[in-house]
Amino acid sequence: MRNGNYLFTSESVSEGHPDKICDRISDAIVDSFLSHDPHSRVAVEALSTTNRVVLAGEVRGPSEVDAELIEQVVRHAIKEIGYEQDGFHWQRLSLENHIHEQSADIAQGVDAAGNKDEGAGDQGIMFGHACTETDELMPAPIHFSHSILRSLAEARHSGAEPGLGPDAKSQVTLKYENGRPRRAASVVVSTQHSADLSQDAVREIVRPHVVNVLPEGWMCEEAEFYVNPTGRFVIGGPDGDCGLTGRKIIVDTYGGAAPHGGGAFSGKDPTKVDRSAAYAARYLAKNVVAAGLAERCTLQLSYAIGVPKPLSLYVDTEGTGQVDEDRLSAILQELMDLSPRGIREHLGLSKPIYARTAAYGHFGRAVDADGGFSWERLDLVDSLKSAFNA
């Protein structure tokens, strides 16, 4: 992001969006393996379309997680989202399972052996970001986009709004003045609904969920408030559009307000640095900002498959830093072992905590008592302040 006056937009999609259904399925399978064996290796993708789900990928884990259990996990995940529609029903859909054993060539590069520590599961670059735009230290457009859809989902699940369906999208454009968000310039919400609801009725259902999420006085002008702009959204979910795991990576992270390395998170166990190193980068960036060392912080990590240590750690405080960035990079590497094993142990990632991450963003969430969203902790703040006498 930059200083000056401008508009910036981010979007979110609900748990019932076809792609998010697939993320939820993939992460529920990861959780199932990790709950039986925290050392499981999982890389599973899903495809969803009209009354059909297809699974593919590779795993190494306990025999208890067999095809029958995986089918139960998939159907339960879809039922929890709320799909009991003619074109996509958790009980009646067809399931194809093409999951197979992990490649031995990959396993030998990743596993610890003798004096060799556990290596990264793949090469790649990962980014983390934090800023002072919200209390959650997240960019404001993606934060509000997520919050609108979570509010609508809570109303749907509670029964308060029975006319809403699981599939929904939001998009928030904020007006920035001198580099700070000041109000909404436009808001777009599209939500699946029952056939007996008119567009005007859906608009009034949606309105309070937007007004209550945005700060007071931030609501856009009425002409810039768009609800179901096509006029009708009855057919939704995989019956309306095919879904795939890992196709909403910008929604999952910072809404385009910060760089993305390109790797998806869902369906991957925490030895995959696409996931765990992105969590570590967010954790470090958030602690830097929370410690008052910068108003904005972006970190990049890079890895090579089979190599434990990161190849690089880049820190950019985007002109807002109060300390030397090279020294900050060195201090962060002293405070946290950024090898795959070090990240996993520091953040406690070998737990079944991933299905809950599949919708409404992986970042800016409250830390759960069981260790979920541990990368949102602020337990390095005191050490960072001490290191810089801040």
PDB file of all heavy atoms in Angstrom, residues 224-245:
ATOM      1  N   GLU A 224     -24.009   3.248  -4.328  1.00  0.00           N
ATOM      2  CA  GLU A 224     -22.808   2.410  -4.421  1.00  0.00           C
ATOM      3  C   GLU A 224     -22.921   1.145  -3.563  1.00  0.00           C
ATOM      4  O   GLU A 224     -21.928   0.472  -3.324  1.00  0.00           O
ATOM      5  CB  GLU A 224     -21.576   3.217  -3.995  1.00  0.00           C
ATOM      6  CG  GLU A 224     -21.297   4.411  -4.876  1.00  0.00           C
ATOM      7  CD  GLU A 224     -21.002   4.017  -6.320  1.00  0.00           C
ATOM      8  OE1 GLU A 224     -20.367   2.944  -6.521  1.00  0.00           O
ATOM      9  OE2 GLU A 224     -21.417   4.740  -7.231  1.00  0.00           O
ATOM     10  N   PHE A 225     -24.126   0.851  -3.116  1.00  0.00           N
ATOM     11  CA  PHE A 225     -24.400  -0.366  -2.330  1.00  0.00           C
ATOM     12  C   PHE A 225     -25.095  -1.363  -3.258  1.00  0.00           C
ATOM     13  O   PHE A 225     -26.252  -1.184  -3.624  1.00  0.00           O
ATOM     14  CB  PHE A 225     -25.272  -0.010  -1.131  1.00  0.00           C
ATOM     15  CG  PHE A 225     -25.653  -1.186  -0.263  1.00  0.00           C
ATOM     16  CD1 PHE A 225     -24.739  -2.175   0.068  1.00  0.00           C
ATOM     17  CD2 PHE A 225     -26.950  -1.291   0.254  1.00  0.00           C
ATOM     18  CE1 PHE A 225     -25.086  -3.246   0.876  1.00  0.00           C
ATOM     19  CE2 PHE A 225     -27.311  -2.346   1.066  1.00  0.00           C
ATOM     20  CZ  PHE A 225     -26.370  -3.325   1.375  1.00  0.00           C
ATOM     21  N   TYR A 226     -24.367  -2.405  -3.660  1.00  0.00           N
ATOM     22  CA  TYR A 226     -24.856  -3.361  -4.643  1.00  0.00           C
ATOM     23  C   TYR A 226     -25.121  -4.705  -3.969  1.00  0.00           C
ATOM     24  O   TYR A 226     -24.210  -5.298  -3.388  1.00  0.00           O
ATOM     25  CB  TYR A 226     -23.835  -3.558  -5.756  1.00  0.00           C
ATOM     26  CG  TYR A 226     -23.428  -2.284  -6.462  1.00  0.00           C
ATOM     27  CD1 TYR A 226     -22.306  -1.563  -6.026  1.00  0.00           C
ATOM     28  CD2 TYR A 226     -24.138  -1.801  -7.542  1.00  0.00           C
ATOM     29  CE1 TYR A 226     -21.915  -0.394  -6.663  1.00  0.00           C
ATOM     30  CE2 TYR A 226     -23.756  -0.630  -8.194  1.00  0.00           C
ATOM     31  CZ  TYR A 226     -22.655   0.059  -7.743  1.00  0.00           C
ATOM     32  OH  TYR A 226     -22.270   1.216  -8.381  1.00  0.00           O
ATOM     33  N   VAL A 227     -26.364  -5.172  -4.069  1.00  0.00           N
ATOM     34  CA  VAL A 227     -26.716  -6.481  -3.523  1.00  0.00           C
ATOM     35  C   VAL A 227     -27.339  -7.319  -4.643  1.00  0.00           C
ATOM     36  O   VAL A 227     -28.315  -6.894  -5.271  1.00  0.00           O
ATOM     37  CB  VAL A 227     -27.703  -6.352  -2.347  1.00  0.00           C
ATOM     38  CG1 VAL A 227     -28.129  -7.737  -1.854  1.00  0.00           C
ATOM     39  CG2 VAL A 227     -27.064  -5.570  -1.201  1.00  0.00           C
ATOM     40  N   ASN A 228     -26.739  -8.483  -4.903  1.00  0.00           N
ATOM     41  CA  ASN A 228     -27.171  -9.359  -5.993  1.00  0.00           C
ATOM     42  C   ASN A 228     -27.424  -8.560  -7.274  1.00  0.00           C
ATOM     43  O   ASN A 228     -28.549  -8.508  -7.790  1.00  0.00           O
ATOM     44  CB  ASN A 228     -28.437 -10.133  -5.590  1.00  0.00           C
ATOM     45  CG  ASN A 228     -28.144 -11.258  -4.618  1.00  0.00           C
ATOM     46  OD1 ASN A 228     -27.011 -11.390  -4.136  1.00  0.00           O
ATOM     47  ND2 ASN A 228     -29.129 -12.073  -4.316  1.00  0.00           N
ATOM     48  N   PRO A 229     -26.392  -7.923  -7.789  1.00  0.00           N
ATOM     49  CA  PRO A 229     -26.595  -7.037  -8.939  1.00  0.00           C
ATOM     50  C   PRO A 229     -27.109  -7.737 -10.196  1.00  0.00           C
ATOM     51  O   PRO A 229     -27.623  -7.055 -11.090  1.00  0.00           O
ATOM     52  CB  PRO A 229     -25.204  -6.417  -9.159  1.00  0.00           C
ATOM     53  CG  PRO A 229     -24.249  -7.244  -8.387  1.00  0.00           C
ATOM     54  CD  PRO A 229     -25.012  -7.851  -7.272  1.00  0.00           C
ATOM     55  N   THR A 230     -27.007  -9.069 -10.283  1.00  0.00           N
ATOM     56  CA  THR A 230     -27.623  -9.756 -11.425  1.00  0.00           C
ATOM     57  C   THR A 230     -29.136  -9.860 -11.266  1.00  0.00           C
ATOM     58  O   THR A 230     -29.841 -10.154 -12.216  1.00  0.00           O
ATOM     59  CB  THR A 230     -27.064 -11.181 -11.597  1.00  0.00           C
ATOM     60  OG1 THR A 230     -27.377 -11.961 -10.433  1.00  0.00           O
ATOM     61  CG2 THR A 230     -25.557 -11.160 -11.804  1.00  0.00           C
ATOM     62  N   GLY A 231     -29.631  -9.653 -10.026  1.00  0.00           N
ATOM     63  CA  GLY A 231     -31.065  -9.663  -9.775  1.00  0.00           C
ATOM     64  C   GLY A 231     -31.582 -10.937  -9.140  1.00  0.00           C
ATOM     65  O   GLY A 231     -32.623 -10.928  -8.485  1.00  0.00           O
ATOM     66  N   ARG A 232     -30.870 -12.055  -9.319  1.00  0.00           N
ATOM     67  CA  ARG A 232     -31.363 -13.344  -8.793  1.00  0.00           C
ATOM     68  C   ARG A 232     -30.171 -14.266  -8.571  1.00  0.00           C
ATOM     69  O   ARG A 232     -29.279 -14.366  -9.408  1.00  0.00           O
ATOM     70  CB  ARG A 232     -32.344 -13.962  -9.780  1.00  0.00           C
ATOM     71  CG  ARG A 232     -32.938 -15.304  -9.359  1.00  0.00           C
ATOM     72  CD  ARG A 232     -33.932 -15.766 -10.435  1.00  0.00           C
ATOM     73  NE  ARG A 232     -34.328 -17.156 -10.266  1.00  0.00           N
ATOM     74  CZ  ARG A 232     -35.350 -17.567  -9.535  1.00  0.00           C
ATOM     75  NH1 ARG A 232     -36.075 -16.667  -8.882  1.00  0.00           N
ATOM     76  NH2 ARG A 232     -35.663 -18.843  -9.435  1.00  0.00           N
ATOM     77  N   PHE A 233     -30.179 -14.960  -7.433  1.00  0.00           N
ATOM     78  CA  PHE A 233     -29.079 -15.874  -7.092  1.00  0.00           C
ATOM     79  C   PHE A 233     -29.672 -17.048  -6.309  1.00  0.00           C
ATOM     80  O   PHE A 233     -29.435 -17.188  -5.116  1.00  0.00           O
ATOM     81  CB  PHE A 233     -28.027 -15.125  -6.281  1.00  0.00           C
ATOM     82  CG  PHE A 233     -26.743 -15.868  -6.026  1.00  0.00           C
ATOM     83  CD1 PHE A 233     -26.493 -17.135  -6.536  1.00  0.00           C
ATOM     84  CD2 PHE A 233     -25.749 -15.281  -5.256  1.00  0.00           C
ATOM     85  CE1 PHE A 233     -25.314 -17.809  -6.293  1.00  0.00           C
ATOM     86  CE2 PHE A 233     -24.558 -15.935  -4.983  1.00  0.00           C
ATOM     87  CZ  PHE A 233     -24.341 -17.197  -5.504  1.00  0.00           C
ATOM     88  N   VAL A 234     -30.460 -17.852  -6.981  1.00  0.00           N
ATOM     89  CA  VAL A 234     -31.087 -19.013  -6.355  1.00  0.00           C
ATOM     90  C   VAL A 234     -30.232 -20.261  -6.561  1.00  0.00           C
ATOM     91  O   VAL A 234     -30.000 -21.042  -5.633  1.00  0.00           O
ATOM     92  CB  VAL A 234     -32.512 -19.230  -6.915  1.00  0.00           C
ATOM     93  CG1 VAL A 234     -33.117 -20.520  -6.363  1.00  0.00           C
ATOM     94  CG2 VAL A 234     -33.397 -18.035  -6.551  1.00  0.00           C
ATOM     95  N   ILE A 235     -29.772 -20.465  -7.796  1.00  0.00           N
ATOM     96  CA  ILE A 235     -28.883 -21.595  -8.085  1.00  0.00           C
ATOM     97  C   ILE A 235     -27.468 -21.177  -7.716  1.00  0.00           C
ATOM     98  O   ILE A 235     -26.916 -20.224  -8.275  1.00  0.00           O
ATOM     99  CB  ILE A 235     -28.942 -21.980  -9.571  1.00  0.00           C
ATOM    100  CG1 ILE A 235     -30.359 -22.401  -9.948  1.00  0.00           C
ATOM    101  CG2 ILE A 235     -27.953 -23.112  -9.863  1.00  0.00           C
ATOM    102  CD1 ILE A 235     -30.555 -22.600 -11.437  1.00  0.00           C
ATOM    103  N   GLY A 236     -26.866 -21.870  -6.762  1.00  0.00           N
ATOM    104  CA  GLY A 236     -25.534 -21.501  -6.309  1.00  0.00           C
ATOM    105  C   GLY A 236     -24.717 -22.709  -5.946  1.00  0.00           C
ATOM    106  O   GLY A 236     -25.098 -23.857  -6.215  1.00  0.00           O
ATOM    107  N   GLY A 237     -23.577 -22.471  -5.333  1.00  0.00           N
ATOM    108  CA  GLY A 237     -22.695 -23.558  -4.948  1.00  0.00           C
ATOM    109  C   GLY A 237     -22.176 -24.320  -6.158  1.00  0.00           C
ATOM    110  O   GLY A 237     -22.183 -23.817  -7.286  1.00  0.00           O
ATOM    111  N   PRO A 238     -21.742 -25.556  -5.969  1.00  0.00           N
ATOM    112  CA  PRO A 238     -21.193 -26.337  -7.081  1.00  0.00           C
ATOM    113  C   PRO A 238     -22.203 -26.640  -8.185  1.00  0.00           C
ATOM    114  O   PRO A 238     -21.795 -27.021  -9.287  1.00  0.00           O
ATOM    115  CB  PRO A 238     -20.736 -27.631  -6.385  1.00  0.00           C
ATOM    116  CG  PRO A 238     -20.473 -27.228  -4.976  1.00  0.00           C
ATOM    117  CD  PRO A 238     -21.535 -26.211  -4.666  1.00  0.00           C
ATOM    118  N   ASP A 239     -23.488 -26.501  -7.906  1.00  0.00           N
ATOM    119  CA  ASP A 239     -24.483 -26.692  -8.955  1.00  0.00           C
ATOM    120  C   ASP A 239     -24.471 -25.524  -9.936  1.00  0.00           C
ATOM    121  O   ASP A 239     -24.903 -25.665 -11.081  1.00  0.00           O
ATOM    122  CB  ASP A 239     -25.876 -26.827  -8.335  1.00  0.00           C
ATOM    123  CG  ASP A 239     -26.926 -27.291  -9.342  1.00  0.00           C
ATOM    124  OD1 ASP A 239     -26.547 -28.020 -10.290  1.00  0.00           O
ATOM    125  OD2 ASP A 239     -28.100 -26.936  -9.187  1.00  0.00           O
ATOM    126  N   GLY A 240     -23.952 -24.389  -9.500  1.00  0.00           N
ATOM    127  CA  GLY A 240     -23.892 -23.223 -10.367  1.00  0.00           C
ATOM    128  C   GLY A 240     -22.514 -22.983 -10.955  1.00  0.00           C
ATOM    129  O   GLY A 240     -22.371 -22.339 -11.992  1.00  0.00           O
ATOM    130  N   ASP A 241     -21.474 -23.513 -10.286  1.00  0.00           N
ATOM    131  CA  ASP A 241     -20.099 -23.239 -10.718  1.00  0.00           C
ATOM    132  C   ASP A 241     -19.186 -24.285 -10.103  1.00  0.00           C
ATOM    133  O   ASP A 241     -19.322 -24.634  -8.928  1.00  0.00           O
ATOM    134  CB  ASP A 241     -19.694 -21.829 -10.272  1.00  0.00           C
ATOM    135  CG  ASP A 241     -18.390 -21.364 -10.894  1.00  0.00           C
ATOM    136  OD1 ASP A 241     -17.910 -22.019 -11.833  1.00  0.00           O
ATOM    137  OD2 ASP A 241     -17.854 -20.339 -10.433  1.00  0.00           O
ATOM    138  N   CYS A 242     -18.246 -24.777 -10.885  1.00  0.00           N
ATOM    139  CA  CYS A 242     -17.284 -25.770 -10.398  1.00  0.00           C
ATOM    140  C   CYS A 242     -16.364 -25.154  -9.348  1.00  0.00           C
ATOM    141  O   CYS A 242     -16.021 -23.976  -9.418  1.00  0.00           O
ATOM    142  CB  CYS A 242     -16.472 -26.287 -11.584  1.00  0.00           C
ATOM    143  SG  CYS A 242     -15.135 -27.411 -11.151  1.00  0.00           S
ATOM    144  N   GLY A 243     -15.973 -25.954  -8.366  1.00  0.00           N
ATOM    145  CA  GLY A 243     -15.043 -25.498  -7.342  1.00  0.00           C
ATOM    146  C   GLY A 243     -13.777 -26.331  -7.316  1.00  0.00           C
ATOM    147  O   GLY A 243     -13.788 -27.513  -7.674  1.00  0.00           O
ATOM    148  N   LEU A 244     -12.671 -25.707  -6.879  1.00  0.00           N
ATOM    149  CA  LEU A 244     -11.381 -26.378  -6.771  1.00  0.00           C
ATOM    150  C   LEU A 244     -10.655 -25.919  -5.513  1.00  0.00           C
ATOM    151  O   LEU A 244     -10.756 -24.747  -5.128  1.00  0.00           O
ATOM    152  CB  LEU A 244     -10.489 -26.061  -7.976  1.00  0.00           C
ATOM    153  CG  LEU A 244     -10.926 -26.604  -9.343  1.00  0.00           C
ATOM    154  CD1 LEU A 244     -10.088 -25.959 -10.440  1.00  0.00           C
ATOM    155  CD2 LEU A 244     -10.783 -28.115  -9.386  1.00  0.00           C
ATOM    156  N   THR A 245      -9.908 -26.814  -4.893  1.00  0.00           N
ATOM    157  CA  THR A 245      -9.060 -26.440  -3.761  1.00  0.00           C
ATOM    158  C   THR A 245      -7.998 -25.432  -4.212  1.00  0.00           C
ATOM    159  O   THR A 245      -7.426 -25.555  -5.289  1.00  0.00           O
ATOM    160  CB  THR A 245      -8.364 -27.685  -3.191  1.00  0.00           C
ATOM    161  OG1 THR A 245      -9.348 -28.611  -2.745  1.00  0.00           O
ATOM    162  CG2 THR A 245      -7.454 -27.319  -2.020  1.00  0.00           C
TER     163      THR A 245
END
